[in-house]
Amino acid sequence: MSVHPSHPLDYPIWTALTTTQQALAEGDARARRFPTEITPFAATADMSPESFAALGALMSPQDIAVLFTPDAVTPPAGLKIALADTGEQMIGTPIDAPANGVDIVTLGADDVPAMIELTALTKPGPFSARTHELGIFLGIRVDGQLVAMAGERMKPARYTEMTAVCVHPSHRGRGYGQMLLSAVSRHIVSRGEIPFLHVFTSNHSAIALYRRQGMEIRRRLHVTVLKKED
């Protein structure tokens, strides 16, 4: 059985659940996942039917499992593909973007309703009631409304993923995304870790933005959403 003896970021979910975030892992040596109320991310030790069966055993009929893998996923009977796409894995420390008098606040449990409302509107990726527990989340409020946020998600080995970078449509063009990306990155680097992120291959504007911020594409990954067959 493979245990992915490659670069830690080639199988970021598996690496996170077997290193820094292993205390959160549900599953065993063949399949692991984060608790569904945190994120639907999951991983298998390899592409064998036994590993996919172990993943299926962790899932209820309502659950989805989101996998990030170097190769396309072909699940055996019992699981079906709900979405198959590709994403770019980008790495590097974004250039510093001063807040210029904007008040950046740390978000917590009391802010979850506002965080879910903003992510539902802007759709930066999966965000659930306990996603904020994965790391620091920072936000910007205007007249009491949360209008921008960014935070940390997967932590594979010495790398930390930046996530949920989103700005309310009516507050774009003010540099809020860059400010928050820079602020989250500073926290990551201060711990001696390396920032990275994922963005769908089709999201050309975001990729261009992150390139301007000084990040580089490391590799392309397959993003697969699995469900149990009815």
Side-chain angles (χ1 to χ4, degrees):
M1 183 172 64
S2 168
V3 288
H4 307 315
S6 53
H7 191 283
L9 293 184
D10 287 347
Y11 297 88
I13 301 173
W14 182 265
T15 305
L17 290 171
T18 54
T19 59
T20 312
Q21 293 168 312
Q22 61 181 324
L24 292 172
E26 298 176 351
D28 55 24
R30 285 203 173 274
R32 294 187 171 212
R33 71 172 185 178
F34 285 94
T36 55
E37 62 271 25
I38 293 181
T39 181
F41 287 179
T44 55
D46 54 28
M47 295 285 191
S48 70
E50 292 81 7
S51 291
F52 280 109
L55 176 61
L58 293 172
M59 299 169 63
S60 74
Q62 293 77 36
D63 288 345
I64 61 170
V66 180
L67 282 62
F68 287 11
T69 55
D71 302 311
V73 171
T74 305
L79 292 170
K80 62 182 179 181
I81 294 176
L83 179 145
D85 209 331
T86 61
E88 306 303 319
Q89 186 180 78
M90 302 186 71
I91 191 167
T93 303
I95 58 175
D96 195 48
N100 294 329
V102 175
D103 189 20
I104 294 177
V105 298
T106 301
L107 303 173
D110 292 344
D111 301 295
V112 167
M115 297 166 84
I116 289 177
E117 182 180 346
L118 182 59
T119 53
L121 176 68
T122 56
K123 296 179 171 43
F127 195 90
S128 304
R130 291 180 55 200
T131 303
H132 69 284
E133 296 177 17
L134 292 174
I136 190 167
F137 276 82
L138 304 177
I140 294 171
R141 291 185 178 276
V142 174
D143 297 329
Q145 180 188 11
L146 182 66
V147 299
M149 63 179 271
E152 301 173 351
R153 187 166 58 185
M154 285 188 281
K155 300 188 175 185
R158 60 192 183 96
Y159 299 87
T160 293
E161 181 195 27
M162 298 183 290
T163 188
V165 183
C166 53
V167 180
H168 191 286
S170 62
H171 291 270
R172 288 175 182 160
R174 306 180 191 186
Y176 289 165
Q178 291 94 318
M179 292 176 198
L180 290 169
L181 200 67
S182 175
V184 171
S185 175
R186 284 195 295 271
H187 280 279
I188 294 169
V189 172
S190 72
R191 300 193 301 261
E193 299 159 7
I194 301 169
F196 76 106
L197 55 76
H198 294 104
V199 57
F200 278 114
T201 303
S202 58
N203 194 346
H204 303 296
S205 60
I207 292 171
L209 168 65
Y210 297 139
R211 281 189 186 276
R212 290 196 299 272
Q213 294 295 303
M215 302 189 75
E216 298 178 351
I217 292 176
R218 178 184 169 268
R219 70 164 303 152
R220 180 168 293 179
L221 291 175
H222 290 265
V223 181
T224 310
V225 179
L226 297 179
K227 295 186 73 175
K228 298 188 84 166
E229 289 186 329
D230 299 331

